[in-house]
Structure formats: structure tokens, C-alpha cells
Amino acid sequence: MGFEAVQLFHKVPTNILDERVYICVLNACAHAGLINEARQICEKIPFNQRTEQIYTTMVDTFSRVFLFDQAQKFIDEFEKSHHPSIPMYMSMLSSARNAKNALLSQKIFDRIQSNFSNVENCITPATVLLANTYALSGNKSMASIIRTKLSQTITKKVVGCSWTVVNRKVFKFRAHDRSHPCSQDIYAELDRLEKELIEHGYKYDESWIARPLNNDETVESVLSGHSERLAIAYNLIQRPTPTRIQVVKNLRVCGDCHTWTKLVAKTRRCLIVVRDANRVHHFYPNGECSCQDHF
Ligand SMILES: [Zn+2]
Ligand SMILES: [Zn+2]
């Protein structure tokens, strides 16, 4: 609700304006694509009050609408007096992926590697984003080289898990889980959904598979076993069918599951809320997600 947030912001007495208020309204601008409003608000923030988070939100605002030069200006301004900040680069990198801009993605990735190689847990997600960008932009061979290298360097792989509550009980699903007593029904529901969604234009998007396929795997078998799909399908075989489904996932949702979940919310007319490692997605019955496909 970007416009409402900006209107409300202008009613906030100036003596109580602080970092939290600024971040809140700038975030709202970022999510609603209100770049002029964000810029006007930011210009009024005194330099000594512009924190790292405020700069990050501005970088995010401009990256989301693919105004990367403007985003870079905020990074440059911040770095005049601070050490580089990883969230700013990750924001640009994920927008570069959404823009399918492999050249820019590689440039940002190189800067991340030279500036943050000692920051734990940042090179792997950055590498996945880079590989995804190459795959999405059509350079599959480069994507596969990066993914192969990545799978050789990662020693400890985190298995994707999703949790959901059905009849007041918590159920956990691992990727490709078949341990649930209703497993057969869950996979039958996934098959039904697959047919339904394909009729609505769904196509498996292999560019989201972040590793080389094993011999016994197909694009379909890998993607359709992602844990949030199992959790959602389990909800959908309940009678009466729930109008609101809630799932928590330990990793970030992949783009293919994101498209899939949007279509499930639409065709089954329910609200699906998925909290992943990065954010909360509200998949509405109109087929849209609250993140506006930026995640
Ligand atoms: Zn997925
Ligand atoms: Zn989303």
C-alpha cells in the first residue's frame, strides 16, 4: 500500500521521525515502485541520519525498477564514508537476475567476491543468483559451469524443508519426502495440479535447478518434489478445502515454485502465505504475489 504509506508518512510529526519510520515508508515505496516519492523523502533525511539500512532501501527501490545507475549512485555515496555493505550488492544482484542481465550480474558478483569473500554465507547465494541469471538469459553452458563448481565447493548441503499446520498439528516435509502416511494422496494431488496448471500455461522452468541433474532425474521430477509443493498439496487434500494455507520454508523459494504457487492460488481460489528464508509471500486468489515477483 505504497500511496497510503506515503500519505501517512507526511502526517508523522517531524520530531518523532527516526530510522524506523524512514525505512518503513521507503520500503513501501520500493514495493510499490514509487521512485519519485522515495527520492523526495530521502532528500529530506539529513546526511548524518542516513544509515546503512536507509541506503540499502534506496538501492533496493531503484534496483527493483531496473534503474541500476541510480542504485549504484546510492552505493557510491554510501561508500564514500563507509565500508561496502553486502545487502546493497545482493539487492542489485537479485534485480539483475530479474532483469536477465548477465553482464551486470557478473560485474556485481565480481565486486562481491573481491569485497566480501570473508563474509560467511554470502558467496553461495550470490553464486546461485549469478548462475540463475546466466540460465535465464539463455547462456546455459555458463550457468552449468558455475553450478558444477558450486556443487564441488559446497561440503554441507542444506535440505529444503517446509512446515505447515493442518488441523492444529505441525507437519514437516523434506524435498521429495515420501514418509507422510498420506504421501500417495499428496503425490496424486500434485499430479492433478500439474495437469490443471499446464492448462493454465504453466511450464517447468529448468533454469531454477541449481545443480547438474543425476541420471535418474528429470526437470519435472526435481522441481515437483520441492518441499513447499508437498506442504501445499497436503493442505489441498483436506476436506473441506482450506481457503488459507500457510507454509514456512527454510530456504528461499525458487522461481519455478513461485510461478507454480501463484497459479495454485488462482486456480484453487485460496490465499497461500509462504514465509521463506528471505521474506513473506502472499499468493492471492487473483494469481499475484505480494512480492510482485521480486524475491
Ligand atoms: Zn522450488
Ligand atoms: Zn512472491
Side-chain angles (χ1 to χ4, degrees), residues 102-253:
L103 199 72
L104 177 67
S105 194
Q106 183 69 60
K107 219 168 91 180
I108 301 165
F109 179 81
D110 292 342
R111 289 187 67 183
I112 290 176
Q113 241 184 351
S114 57
N115 283 322
F116 307 101
S117 56
N118 54 347
V119 181
E120 214 188 321
N121 300 335
C122 90
I123 297 298
T124 304
T127 311
V128 171
L129 280 172
L130 178 69
N132 284 344
T133 314
Y134 274 115
L136 287 167
S137 67
N139 192 341
K140 286 191 183 169
S141 61
M142 193 63 183
S144 121
I145 292 169
I146 296 169
R147 281 165 182 164
T148 310
K149 239 196 258 170
L150 186 67
S151 60
Q152 286 160 353
T153 53
I154 297 178
T155 43
K156 205 174 78 193
K157 274 194 196 139
V158 182
V159 178
C161 288
S162 289
W163 291 260
T164 191
V165 176
V166 170
N167 294 330
R168 300 186 182 189
K169 266 171 85 183
V170 178
F171 293 90
K172 177 182 175 182
F173 294 90
R174 293 159 62 94
H176 306 284
D177 206 330
R178 287 188 184 266
S179 65
H180 194 282
C182 298
S183 191
Q184 232 180 341
D185 297 333
I186 292 170
Y187 278 90
E189 177 70 359
L190 283 174
D191 286 345
R192 273 192 295 275
L193 282 166
E194 180 186 49
K195 285 191 191 84
E196 264 172 59
L197 301 195
I198 285 173
E199 275 175 29
H200 282 82
Y202 171 69
K203 251 199 225 147
Y204 285 99
D205 184 353
E206 64 174 302
S207 67
W208 291 97
I209 300 176
R211 58 177 174 79
L213 292 182
N214 296 327
N215 288 339
D216 58 343
E217 290 176 328
T218 62
V219 170
E220 290 80 2
S221 75
V222 171
L223 291 170
S224 65
H226 284 181
S227 62
E228 62 268 53
R229 300 193 192 207
L230 303 176
I232 292 168
Y234 181 49
N235 275 276
L236 290 171
I237 57 171
Q238 304 302 313
R239 293 295 173 263
T241 322
T243 51
R244 188 182 190 281
I245 293 172
Q246 190 160 341
V247 175
V248 174
K249 179 168 183 167
N250 62 338
L251 306 174
R252 292 170 73 166
V253 294

Side-chain angles (χ1 to χ4, degrees), residues 2-3 6 9-10 25-26 29 33-43 58:
F3 283 110
V6 172
F9 170 77
H10 288 305
V25 69
L26 291 174
C29 291
L34 303 176
I35 49 168
N36 291 330
E37 287 80 353
R39 204 196 303 266
Q40 280 162 11
I41 290 166
C42 186
E43 275 167 6
M58 289 307 287

